[in-house]
Amino acid sequence: MRSANGLIPRPSPERPYRLEGTRPGESPHQTLFISCTETQIAPTRFVSRPEQLFELRNIGNIVPPYNPKVVSGAIATIDYALSLTNLRDVVIAGHSGCGAVAALLNQTSNRVSPSLRRWLVVGSSRVACEDAVGTRASGAIGKEALDRAAQAHLLTQLAHLAQYPELESGQNSGRLRLRALFHRAESSTTEVYSPRDDSFKPLAREGSGRRR
Ligand SMILES: [Zn+2]
């Protein structure tokens, strides 16, 4: 039910909102979801309730290599999220047709600003992307090759993320689960990275209530 001004009514003290799997007064488990700011990917599609999302979005879903001495909004945001006691899942998501990856490989007709070029350097994925497309030439690259580059870029950011000490200890204790997703907007399908096979596999639906 929505109020007259279109906003969802706030919970009253008598009837507080209660999320699945939680008791009154208890916070729901949260998911740190790191993704590109582009419109092809919507993090709310990957959780049963938007309130569970702790989002970090930036152009290119870039995770800077861990360095506590560097002033970085991304590092501080990830570090803060990892300190939350009710955090259980960490997801990093890339997508097909990523403009940041296209800019990295000089495959876009859009203007690439100096600030974007410097930001892409932080992702340090140029070599991995060039290896994925099999060429370092400056010619046109096909869509499939660009998407392979986007996956290589995603895995580079996953490797950066794995360096964060709190994440490593959380995984070792079994408290945290880390996954990398690759979303294809054109087919509305999502793949999850399997470290065991070093490949992307279709993401299984975890429940009929899930939307993708
Ligand atoms: Zn993107």
Side-chain angles (χ1 to χ4, degrees), residues 36 38 59-61 95 98-100:
C36 186
E38 291 188 284
I59 185 66
N61 48 272
H95 66 97
C98 184

PDB file of all heavy atoms in Angstrom, residues 36 38 59-61 95 98-100, ligand 1:
ATOM      1  N   CYS A  36      28.757  -2.172 -11.930  1.00  0.00           N
ATOM      2  CA  CYS A  36      28.935  -1.006 -12.790  1.00  0.00           C
ATOM      3  C   CYS A  36      27.719  -0.089 -12.655  1.00  0.00           C
ATOM      4  O   CYS A  36      26.610  -0.538 -12.390  1.00  0.00           O
ATOM      5  CB  CYS A  36      29.095  -1.472 -14.232  1.00  0.00           C
ATOM      6  SG  CYS A  36      29.481  -0.156 -15.400  1.00  0.00           S
ATOM      7  N   GLU A  38      26.351   1.482 -15.028  1.00  0.00           N
ATOM      8  CA  GLU A  38      25.548   1.512 -16.248  1.00  0.00           C
ATOM      9  C   GLU A  38      24.205   0.809 -16.030  1.00  0.00           C
ATOM     10  O   GLU A  38      24.055  -0.022 -15.131  1.00  0.00           O
ATOM     11  CB  GLU A  38      26.326   0.874 -17.402  1.00  0.00           C
ATOM     12  CG  GLU A  38      27.505   1.741 -17.817  1.00  0.00           C
ATOM     13  CD  GLU A  38      28.178   1.231 -19.066  1.00  0.00           C
ATOM     14  OE1 GLU A  38      28.920   0.237 -18.967  1.00  0.00           O
ATOM     15  OE2 GLU A  38      27.976   1.824 -20.121  1.00  0.00           O
ATOM     16  N   ILE A  59      31.712   3.368 -12.352  1.00  0.00           N
ATOM     17  CA  ILE A  59      31.848   3.027 -13.760  1.00  0.00           C
ATOM     18  C   ILE A  59      32.936   1.956 -13.921  1.00  0.00           C
ATOM     19  O   ILE A  59      34.083   2.145 -13.478  1.00  0.00           O
ATOM     20  CB  ILE A  59      32.135   4.278 -14.634  1.00  0.00           C
ATOM     21  CG1 ILE A  59      32.159   3.921 -16.107  1.00  0.00           C
ATOM     22  CG2 ILE A  59      33.400   5.011 -14.188  1.00  0.00           C
ATOM     23  CD1 ILE A  59      30.823   3.467 -16.647  1.00  0.00           C
ATOM     24  N   GLY A  60      32.533   0.818 -14.446  1.00  0.00           N
ATOM     25  CA  GLY A  60      33.473  -0.271 -14.669  1.00  0.00           C
ATOM     26  C   GLY A  60      33.568  -1.271 -13.529  1.00  0.00           C
ATOM     27  O   GLY A  60      34.447  -2.137 -13.545  1.00  0.00           O
ATOM     28  N   ASN A  61      32.684  -1.173 -12.529  1.00  0.00           N
ATOM     29  CA  ASN A  61      32.730  -2.079 -11.351  1.00  0.00           C
ATOM     30  C   ASN A  61      34.174  -2.353 -10.922  1.00  0.00           C
ATOM     31  O   ASN A  61      34.608  -3.495 -10.805  1.00  0.00           O
ATOM     32  CB  ASN A  61      31.959  -3.383 -11.600  1.00  0.00           C
ATOM     33  CG  ASN A  61      32.259  -4.091 -12.904  1.00  0.00           C
ATOM     34  OD1 ASN A  61      31.630  -3.818 -13.926  1.00  0.00           O
ATOM     35  ND2 ASN A  61      33.239  -4.987 -12.910  1.00  0.00           N
ATOM     36  N   HIS A  95      29.141  -6.825 -16.675  1.00  0.00           N
ATOM     37  CA  HIS A  95      28.053  -7.026 -17.639  1.00  0.00           C
ATOM     38  C   HIS A  95      28.555  -6.914 -19.071  1.00  0.00           C
ATOM     39  O   HIS A  95      29.603  -6.311 -19.340  1.00  0.00           O
ATOM     40  CB  HIS A  95      26.934  -6.021 -17.380  1.00  0.00           C
ATOM     41  CG  HIS A  95      27.336  -4.598 -17.648  1.00  0.00           C
ATOM     42  ND1 HIS A  95      27.050  -3.957 -18.834  1.00  0.00           N
ATOM     43  CD2 HIS A  95      28.025  -3.697 -16.906  1.00  0.00           C
ATOM     44  CE1 HIS A  95      27.519  -2.716 -18.787  1.00  0.00           C
ATOM     45  NE2 HIS A  95      28.127  -2.530 -17.634  1.00  0.00           N
ATOM     46  N   CYS A  98      29.893  -3.483 -21.713  1.00  0.00           N
ATOM     47  CA  CYS A  98      30.306  -2.477 -20.716  1.00  0.00           C
ATOM     48  C   CYS A  98      31.074  -1.336 -21.403  1.00  0.00           C
ATOM     49  O   CYS A  98      32.088  -1.563 -22.060  1.00  0.00           O
ATOM     50  CB  CYS A  98      31.155  -3.118 -19.635  1.00  0.00           C
ATOM     51  SG  CYS A  98      31.590  -1.948 -18.319  1.00  0.00           S
ATOM     52  N   GLY A  99      30.589  -0.138 -21.189  1.00  0.00           N
ATOM     53  CA  GLY A  99      31.223   1.036 -21.791  1.00  0.00           C
ATOM     54  C   GLY A  99      32.613   1.298 -21.241  1.00  0.00           C
ATOM     55  O   GLY A  99      33.481   1.812 -21.958  1.00  0.00           O
ATOM     56  N   ALA A 100      32.841   0.938 -19.986  1.00  0.00           N
ATOM     57  CA  ALA A 100      34.157   1.162 -19.390  1.00  0.00           C
ATOM     58  C   ALA A 100      35.201   0.264 -20.048  1.00  0.00           C
ATOM     59  O   ALA A 100      36.327   0.698 -20.330  1.00  0.00           O
ATOM     60  CB  ALA A 100      34.101   0.897 -17.889  1.00  0.00           C
TER      61      ALA A 100
HETATM   62 ZN    ZN B   1      29.635  -1.102 -17.441  1.00  0.00          ZN
END
